[in-house]
Amino acid sequence: MMKPFGKRFVLFLFACFCLTASCATTKMTDVRRDENYRGTIRKVVVIGIFKEPDTRKIFEDEFAYILKARGVDATASHKVVSGAELADKDVVIGKIRKLGADAVLVTRVMDMETVKTYVPGQAYVMPVYYSTYGGYYSYSYSYSYEPGYTATEGYAYTETNLYGLGDEKLIWSGRAKTEFSATRYELIQVFVKTMIDGLSEAKLFR
C-alpha cells in the first residue's frame, strides 16, 4: 500500500496540473472611447448575445454581479428581455428605458477558431511501498489508467460595446481575444474582469 505521504504528494501534483490547465486568458486587442463623453455610468443593463440561453444567463449575471461590487447599478437583461425579443431593437430599448438605465452594455462573439484534438488514454505504473520484508524482492507495481478525451482548443473573438440610452451613441468599445483553456464559467469570469478593468481605465465606471 502507498504510504499517506505518497498519496498526498500525488494529489498535490494532480492539483497543480489542474490549476495550470485551467488558466484562462482574455486579451484586449482594440479599445475605442468617445472622448467627448464626460459622464459616468450609474445604471446599466448587460446584454450577452449567445446562442445558448444558459450561457447568456451565466454571462449577464456574472457581469452584473461584478459591476454591482464596483458600485454600479447593473441588471442582467435576461430578467426583463426574453431571447425571442433580443432581435427587436425597439422592444429591447423600450424595456431598458423603463428600468431608468442610462446605458446598455452589449457583448457578442464576432468569430471563433476551434480545433478538436483527441488525447489518447495513458497507463501509469507506480511502485508499491513494501509492507513486508519479503515484498522487497517481489518488484510489485500498481497500475492506473487515465481514459482518453477530446480537447477543444482555439480562440473566441468578441466585441463589447457600451451605448448611452439618451442618444444611443457608442461610448466605448472593446475587442478581445479569449483562449479556450478552462471551463465556461472560468472563461466568463476572466473575460468579465478584463472588460470591467478596461471600462474602469476609461473612467466610465467607478
Side-chain angles (χ1 to χ4, degrees):
M1 296 293 293
M2 185 182 292
K3 292 182 179 179
F5 174 78
K7 288 183 179 179
R8 289 197 298 268
F9 183 67
V10 171
L11 289 173
F12 172 76
L13 290 178
F14 179 74
C16 289
F17 170 77
C18 289
L19 287 173
T20 302
S22 65
C23 181
T25 59
T26 289
K27 294 182 179 179
M28 298 289 288
T29 58
D30 184 49
V31 177
R32 298 182 183 183
R33 186 195 192 285
D34 180 0
E35 298 300 332
N36 295 319
Y37 184 80
R38 295 288 183 267
T40 299
I41 304 302
R42 300 186 181 280
K43 190 167 186 176
V44 62
V45 173
V46 179
I47 298 177
I49 300 177
F50 301 99
K51 292 182 179 179
E52 305 84 2
D54 58 331
T55 299
R56 174 195 173 193
K57 182 180 184 302
I58 295 170
F59 176 85
E60 293 180 354
D61 286 345
E62 178 68 14
F63 223 130
Y65 174 78
I66 300 301
L67 283 174
K68 286 179 180 178
R70 297 282 187 100
V72 180
D73 187 352
T75 300
S77 74
H78 69 83
K79 295 182 177 181
V80 294
V81 180
S82 69
E85 292 173 328
L86 275 179
D88 192 325
K89 173 194 166 186
D90 293 334
V91 171
V92 174
I93 294 298
K95 289 195 171 186
I96 291 175
R97 282 181 173 154
K98 285 182 179 179
L99 295 175
D102 52 18
V104 58
L105 187 70
V106 186
T107 295
R108 67 184 180 94
V109 177
M110 299 189 300
D111 197 8
M112 295 178 72
E113 293 179 1
T114 59
V115 176
K116 289 189 177 182
T117 305
Y118 178 73
V119 180
Q122 295 183 8
Y124 297 90
V125 181
M126 300 181 64
V128 176
Y129 286 87
Y130 312 111
S131 58
T132 64
Y133 177 76
Y136 179 82
Y137 299 97
S138 66
Y139 296 96
S140 297
Y141 292 91
S142 70
Y143 293 84
S144 62
Y145 180 74
E146 180 178 323
Y149 61 93
T150 300
T152 300
E153 300 177 346
Y155 298 91
Y157 299 89
T158 58
E159 181 179 67
T160 300
N161 291 335
L162 178 70
Y163 298 93
L165 283 183
D167 52 13
E168 299 182 18
K169 286 186 177 180
L170 181 65
I171 298 172
W172 182 91
S173 179
R175 292 190 174 186
K177 177 181 179 181
T178 298
E179 181 181 3
F180 296 137
S181 56
T183 66
R184 176 175 59 176
Y185 183 59
E186 289 171 327
L187 291 173
I188 288 174
Q189 282 184 308
V190 174
F191 177 86
V192 167
K193 182 182 183 304
T194 302
M195 291 301 107
I196 291 180
D197 285 347
L199 289 160
S200 296
E201 289 176 8
K203 298 181 179 179
L204 294 168
F205 293 149
R206 289 177 285 180

